Amino acid sequence: MRRRSRTERARPLRARFRLHPAQAVAGGFGLAIVVGTAMLMLPLSKSGPGGATFVQALFTSTSAVCVTGLTVVDTPTFWSPFGQVVILLLIQIGGLGIMIFAALVGLVLARKFTVRSRLNTAAEAKSVGLDDIRGVARGIVLTSLIVEAVTFGMLFVRFLAGYGYSLGEASWFALFHAVSSFNNAGFALYSDSLMGFVNDPFICLPIAGAIIVGGLGFPVLLQLRKEFRRPLHWSMNTKIVLWATVVLLTAGTAYITLLEWNNPATFGALDPWSRVLAGFFQSVQTRTAGFNSVDIGAMHDETWLGMEVLMFIGGGPAGTAGGIKVTTFAVLFFIMMTELRGEGAVNIFGKRLSRAVHRQAITVVLIALAAVVFGAGLIMFLTGEELDHALFETVSAFATVGLSTGITANLSEPAQIVVVALMFLGRIGPLTLGSAIALRERRILYEFPKERPAIG
């Protein structure tokens, strides 16, 4: 009998410790957060003497990498210019996707994609094949840079001509907010976010536009680049995302504007056009961006409830948005309509929905609900906060939105760690985290007899 060589004996051991693509995505985000935390703890990153505490750095790094926007310190005053650059880089890397970024670095250094790199990139980009991963990754980067450049140009002109900023100030503020908006991060270089621009459409609309485009998801953006004039060729995913985006933005704008119309602490002091602009802007932020042009803490409780629903739904998959994703929400909606009509199969835009997608959508929603409810309860237990504040903060963290009623900085450190965990879980996705832990699917070679329990 031939003895196995050392290489042959080592191969099963290497295979045992090889990362599953979903696990690599989760690990990549975790590693980026750790590196970001270490850099933000440097004295060079903080304004004034000393350095940031571990929790301050960890929270900010997680919020930036997970493109959330929640903060425990004031970004423009607490962090030095170096620290702000670190945050900007973390936002860009987190928005592009850790695996896509790593794959591009490998492409530059080695001039090729390995099979493992292709698998990891495909897992994060939600690509169905491995043949054009190089083109997908390049297309994602190109799209990101184009949208950020256009947004930068519009903001730069406005800051320079409308507010008297110097050339350097206009460039830096335009760049930071362009990257932050397209990546749905919500970090701002103003202590009151964007409240100073509540009635300025030349600031609010470019930022809102970049947020909407970023929230569509890269698969939608790439298909629109190739087949914008051929809607009949659009995939079910693209049609659902575009349809749901229009419906939710319109409904959110009407809901927020009507409820806050006469609120003297938010919209009441504005002229009618500015109220509509503010309502639209805040509706866009629930796409998981996190900027605010009015005081969120002064809004009515009913407005918070509607915003929580919109934040929980989020934006398009495989992009910079968070939440359960509009596709998941739409799938559940069409499943419900199919059951109410008594039909056997779920049909969406002339296509039949796979039954495996039913299970995935239900799984994502149940895990998301469990995370939000458990997180809100834990924050209430640790801090004594009221339910409405704790729930808003929890949904905002899990959906990687970044809107806050103002309690984030005042939470205890254990409660802030809970928020960190929610941001991480919300960014990588409940299903991705679950598959990363499970490592591989289990094939069941037998079936039990069918039986139906009573429902309802």
Side-chain angles (χ1 to χ4, degrees):
M1 181 176 178
R2 185 179 69 88
R3 292 185 59 186
R4 293 190 303 169
S5 67
R6 181 178 300 179
T7 302
E8 292 174 328
R9 291 195 302 270
R11 188 175 297 126
L13 187 63
R14 290 198 302 268
R16 184 181 303 176
F17 289 98
R18 182 176 294 165
L19 291 179
H20 185 279
Q23 191 181 46
V25 172
F29 272 93
L31 179 61
I33 290 171
V34 171
V35 173
T37 301
M39 295 188 68
L40 290 176
M41 288 183 68
L42 297 173
L44 183 62
S45 296
K46 181 179 176 297
S47 297
T53 66
F54 171 74
V55 173
Q56 289 172 337
L58 173 65
F59 193 102
T60 303
S61 177
T62 305
S63 186
V65 172
C66 297
V67 290
T68 304
L70 288 174
T71 58
V72 292
V73 295
D74 186 32
T75 302
T77 60
F78 185 87
W79 301 110
S80 67
F82 176 80
Q84 294 172 8
V85 170
V86 171
I87 293 172
L88 185 66
L89 292 175
L90 293 175
I91 291 172
Q92 186 69 81
I93 293 172
L96 283 177
I98 299 299
M99 291 301 106
I100 294 170
F101 178 78
L104 288 169
V105 171
L107 177 63
V108 171
L109 296 179
R111 301 291 180 182
K112 65 179 180 179
F113 276 155
T114 65
V115 174
R116 178 58 50 180
S117 177
R118 291 186 181 189
L119 288 170
N120 294 338
T121 305
E124 188 163 12
K126 298 292 188 293
S127 178
V128 295
L130 300 180
D131 295 335
D132 194 32
I133 290 300
R134 183 185 305 220
V136 168
R138 284 176 170 169
I140 288 173
V141 174
L142 181 61
T143 301
S144 301
L145 294 179
I146 290 174
V147 177
E148 289 171 356
V150 172
T151 308
F152 166 82
M154 298 174 73
L155 294 178
F156 173 78
V157 171
R158 185 57 177 167
F159 284 137
L160 191 65
Y163 293 93
Y165 285 20
S166 67
L167 193 63
E169 287 177 332
S171 300
W172 171 239
F173 277 77
L175 175 64
F176 190 95
H177 292 94
V179 173
S180 184
S181 58
F182 173 74
N183 290 289
N184 283 210
F187 277 87
L189 293 179
Y190 302 95
S191 298
D192 60 355
S193 191
L194 299 179
M195 290 176 61
F197 307 102
V198 62
N199 57 357
D200 188 345
F202 299 102
I203 295 293
C204 292
L205 292 182
I207 288 178
I211 291 167
I212 293 171
V213 173
L216 293 177
F218 292 122
V220 174
L221 295 179
L222 294 179
Q223 182 164 50
L224 290 179
R225 279 184 58 199
K226 296 179 180 179
E227 301 179 310
F228 181 77
R229 298 181 181 274
R230 297 190 294 175
L232 293 178
H233 293 183
W234 291 353
S235 67
M236 180 191 293
N237 180 77
T238 297
K239 292 178 181 179
I240 289 177
V241 170
L242 294 177
W243 169 81
T245 297
V246 172
V247 171
L248 293 175
L249 281 177
T250 304
T253 299
Y255 183 87
I256 295 171
T257 303
L258 290 175
L259 286 181
E260 295 297 318
W261 188 268
N262 293 318
N263 185 347
T266 55
F267 291 9
L270 304 173
D271 60 80
W273 159 247
S274 296
R275 296 181 194 186
V276 175
L277 175 63
F280 171 72
F281 188 77
Q282 290 309 143
S283 177
V284 171
Q285 304 317 304
T286 61
R287 309 292 300 163
T288 77
F291 296 108
N292 61 282
S293 61
V294 295
D295 185 3
I296 301 297
M299 285 182 162
H300 297 308
D301 292 350
E302 308 92 292
T303 310
W304 286 353
L305 180 60
M307 293 175 70
E308 286 165 358
V309 173
L310 293 171
M311 290 190 298
F312 187 76
I313 295 173
T320 59
I324 62 172
K325 305 298 187 295
V326 293
T327 45
T328 305
F329 173 76
V331 163
L332 293 180
F333 173 79
F334 283 110
I335 290 175
M336 179 188 70
M337 295 304 298
T338 300
E339 288 297 320
L340 292 177
R341 290 194 295 257
E343 299 175 355
V346 180
N347 300 312
I348 305 177
F349 298 122
K351 298 288 183 65
R352 183 168 57 87
L353 191 68
S354 169
R355 290 193 176 273
V357 179
H358 300 197
R359 299 193 300 270
Q360 292 173 354
I362 293 171
T363 300
V364 168
V365 172
L366 290 179
I367 292 177
L369 285 173
V372 167
V373 171
F374 180 76
L378 198 54
I379 289 176
M380 292 171 64
F381 173 76
L382 293 172
T383 63
E385 287 288 345
E386 297 179 355
L387 174 61
D388 51 357
H389 289 84
L391 184 61
F392 191 95
E393 215 75 11
T394 303
V395 174
S396 180
F398 176 81
T400 67
V401 178
L403 293 174
S404 174
T405 59
I407 68 171
T408 309
N410 298 324
L411 295 176
S412 62
E413 288 194 349
Q416 290 176 357
I417 296 297
V418 173
V419 176
V420 166
L422 287 169
M423 290 190 291
F424 182 77
L425 175 62
R427 180 64 180 108
I428 65 174
L431 205 58
T432 300
L433 183 63
S435 59
I437 295 173
L439 293 182
R440 60 187 179 91
E441 296 180 357
R442 294 187 343 176
R443 295 186 61 185
I444 305 299
L445 302 179
Y446 57 88
E447 290 184 354
F448 291 106
K450 291 183 179 180
E451 186 173 346
R452 292 185 60 179
I455 300 297

